[in-house]
Structures are given as structure tokens and as C-alpha cells.
Amino acid sequence: MSQAIQKHSDNLTALRLLAACMVLYGHGFVFLGLPEPMFMQWLPLGPLGVYIFFSISGYLVAQSWERDPSVLRFLIRRTLRIFPALFVCTVLSVCVLGPLLTEVTQAEYWKSEHTRGYFTNLYLYITYYLPGVFTSNKLPNAVNGSLWSLPVEFAMYLLIVIIGFVRAPKWGVLAAALVFMALSAGWAFQATEMLVYYRTDMRQLVLCGVYFFVGACMNQFKLDRFFNLTYALAAVMVWLALSRWIVVFIMASWVFLPFIVLAFGTAKNSPLARLTSWDFSYGIYIYAFPIQQTIVYLFPKIDFLAYFGSTFVITVALAALSWLFVEKPALKLKPFRG
């Protein structure tokens, strides 16, 4: 492929935008101290949006490795997708949002080790705290809680590299999916205490890993030949029929959710494919949390509709700027096999 940015004529970008907006919408209830809407009495909308992201990512990242199994080029492509926008978002958080909203003095803010420590987000050693920022919010001291998923995502990339390096792409992704399923069923579901490594909750790595690697399996085993409206509707009906048994429903989601998402997402010649050139999803995801925290901090009595509308408009505007001036130019630098 000679072009720096791959062109798609499918719904995957639209689905990523939907997933990002689900996270924004679900978090809005949390920031206002309201119960977050649940999907089928199983999962809040925010985590569901994250699982949709991971399902799509697993499919596309496995495809990327299959197309060009070069460790260096693969990691450069993944780095260019995540880090340029993260760098700008982090700098804006420390140098603009923090100084404007902190409740400590400017001298205290800039001298604090926590201000400097916020830059550890640039190597995915995630921290959420800036001195004196959002201390009185209903979700206090959290500047950008959405960043937790980025080290999980990058860990999935590294596992793809390891699996590809040992020349076992097909059976390796299946083995990874089965291991994550077993760990989810036997540990992550029931565990009440976090197991933290590199400031990352390993329970979340396991739960997200299931959807990522099932998505990767869809690519490696060429299950996309079943991606059509008939099979997608059948999958929806079978999955919903299992909702009476919540544990079975949850475990079935490991396969049914990625299949339904990807069957719809890979549909060709859809009107939604026009959104491919405007992939604001990552920008929405990384900017929504600090924008939502800021609005509720400035207007603690705001009603939900005004809150959602204002945060949505501001976040999409920032995401558009991020896409046009940071992400899209960075993606043009992606190396591809000659």
C-alpha cells in the first residue's frame, strides 16, 4: 500500500465515533452524581464503548500486522496513532487547564512534583492528578480518567508483536483470546481488589484483552466471510435471547459483541462511510473527560441536557482540531512496506 493513510469504505469510523460518544454520554451521568445508564443490566455505556473500541482495534491491528509483519514499522505506526495527540492533550492539561483551574497558588502548582509527574502519561505511566484541580468535583482530583485504557491498548499491540514474532499469528491470537477468557471467568469477574502493574489495573487488561483478541481472531480465521446483515441479525437475536442468564449473556458477549460490531462495521458502500475522512473518535475519547470535569466544576448546578450539549460541542471541536492538525498529519508519516 503506497498511501500513508488507508482508505476505507465501511462503517468502522462511524462505530468508533459512536463508541467515543457512548463514553462521553455515560461519563456525563457520573460527573453529575447520577446513576450511569446500563446496557441490558450488564454494563454501563462507558465500558461498553471501550469494548467496542477494543473489538475494532483487534481486528484492524491484526490486519495491519498481517499486511506488513515488520516489528519496527508496526510499532512506528501504532506510536504515531497514539502519542502525538496524547502529547498535545497532556501539555494542554498541564499548561492551560491546570493553571487556570487550580485552587492552589501558581507557585505551588508549578513547583509541585505532581505537576511534573503528570507528564508520565506520555509514556503511558498513567496519572490522573494535578495539584488543586477538580478537588471539589463529584469525581475529585481526576483530570483525565479515560487515559487508563491507553496502556492496555498498547499492551495488546506488544502481544500482537510477540505472537507474530514467534510466527504463530493464527493460533497465537486464538490462544491469547482463550487465556483472557479463562482469566476473565476465573478471576477478573470476581476480583474486588485491583492488581496494579505499571499503574494499570490488570483486571481491565484481561477484560479488554478478550474483545481485542476475539476481534483479531475474526481477521486471522477469515470470519469476515460471515459478516453480513443476515448473520449479524441472527447474532443479535441469539445473544439477546441469552440475557435471562446474565453470566451466560456476559460470557457470550466475548464472541457476539465483536462479531456484531465488525459485521456492521465492515459493511461496504454505506452512507456512514463518508465519516472515514473525519475520524474524531480518539480526540473525543481523550478530551471528553477533562472538558466534562471542567464544565461541571464551573457550573455545578447545570442540568443534564445543557451539560451534555455543551460538553459534546466543545469536545467535538477540540477533537476536530486534534484530527486536522495533529493526528492526520502524524498518520501521513506512517511507514508501509514498499
Side-chain angles (χ1 to χ4, degrees):
M1 181 172 57
S2 60
Q3 293 180 342
I5 300 178
Q6 186 182 8
K7 300 297 182 183
H8 294 284
S9 59
D10 53 37
N11 297 325
L12 289 173
T13 297
L15 274 177
R16 284 195 294 265
L17 286 166
L18 173 63
C21 291
M22 287 170 64
V23 175
L24 185 156
Y25 180 73
H27 280 172
F29 290 86
V30 177
F31 293 136
L32 293 177
L34 303 170
E36 188 174 355
M38 301 287 287
F39 172 73
M40 298 298 294
Q41 299 181 341
W42 162 43
L43 195 68
L45 290 183
L48 179 62
V50 171
Y51 292 161
I52 291 173
F53 269 126
F54 274 92
S55 299
I56 296 171
S57 180
Y59 180 79
L60 292 179
V61 168
Q63 214 174 58
S64 174
W65 175 265
E66 185 179 48
R67 195 164 47 238
D68 180 14
S70 161
V71 173
L72 180 60
R73 288 193 295 269
F74 176 84
L75 290 177
I76 291 174
R77 290 194 294 270
R78 305 280 69 79
T79 297
L80 287 171
R81 188 65 189 99
I82 287 181
F83 288 96
L86 176 62
F87 174 82
V88 174
C89 183
T90 301
V91 170
L92 289 175
S93 297
V94 173
C95 299
V96 179
L97 184 146
L100 288 175
L101 299 183
T102 185
E103 295 177 359
V104 302
T105 66
Q106 292 296 302
E108 288 178 282
Y109 177 83
W110 289 111
K111 288 180 180 178
S112 173
E113 63 182 43
H114 296 293
T115 302
R116 298 186 297 275
Y118 196 84
F119 286 106
T120 62
N121 289 324
L122 296 179
Y123 47 92
L124 303 184
Y125 194 57
I126 302 301
T127 185
Y128 308 110
Y129 176 73
L130 281 173
V133 179
F134 304 140
T135 57
S136 59
N137 282 18
K138 288 184 170 63
L139 197 66
N141 302 314
V143 174
N144 199 341
S146 293
L147 299 184
W148 70 265
S149 68
L150 299 187
V152 174
E153 176 82 6
F154 206 81
M156 299 299 113
Y157 301 160
L158 297 179
L159 286 173
I160 287 287
V161 168
I162 292 169
I163 291 167
F165 193 72
V166 299
R167 299 184 182 277
K170 180 179 287 188
W171 301 108
V173 296
L174 177 60
L178 293 174
V179 167
F180 281 128
M181 286 179 183
L183 288 172
S184 294
W187 169 63
F189 277 161
Q190 294 102 7
T192 56
E193 294 185 7
M194 291 191 298
L195 175 62
V196 177
Y197 177 76
Y198 200 76
R199 290 188 183 168
T200 298
D201 184 354
M202 292 294 103
R203 296 174 303 175
Q204 295 302 324
L205 184 141
V206 167
L207 294 171
C208 293
V210 172
Y211 298 97
F212 182 94
F213 276 100
V214 170
C217 285
M218 300 283 177
N219 173 73
Q220 290 295 321
F221 288 90
K222 307 306 175 189
L223 298 181
D224 48 8
R225 63 185 182 273
F226 300 112
F227 290 171
N228 58 52
L229 181 61
T230 301
Y231 284 117
L233 289 175
V236 169
M237 289 188 290
V238 172
W239 187 32
L240 293 180
L242 299 173
S243 61
R244 180 177 178 181
W245 304 278
I246 189 62
V247 174
V248 176
F249 178 76
I250 293 170
M251 295 176 71
S253 77
W254 299 340
V255 174
F256 282 101
L257 181 62
F259 182 87
I260 294 164
V261 165
L262 293 170
F264 175 77
T266 55
K268 303 298 182 184
N269 303 317
S270 163
L272 294 175
R274 297 174 183 175
L275 295 172
T276 299
S277 299
W278 307 95
D279 189 359
F280 302 163
S281 58
Y282 183 45
I284 292 172
Y285 185 77
I286 62 174
Y287 281 104
F289 198 107
I291 293 301
Q292 289 177 292
Q293 283 281 63
T294 299
I295 296 298
V296 79
Y297 173 79
L298 295 174
F299 307 100
K301 304 294 186 181
I302 193 170
D303 70 82
F304 183 82
L305 288 179
Y307 179 64
F308 176 73
S310 59
T311 55
F312 179 80
V313 169
I314 296 169
T315 300
V316 171
L318 284 173
L321 293 173
S322 176
W323 171 252
L324 292 172
F325 297 108
V326 181
E327 298 167 59
K328 193 174 181 180
L331 292 177
K332 291 180 179 178
L333 303 175
K334 290 167 67 173
F336 293 97
R337 175 187 280 176

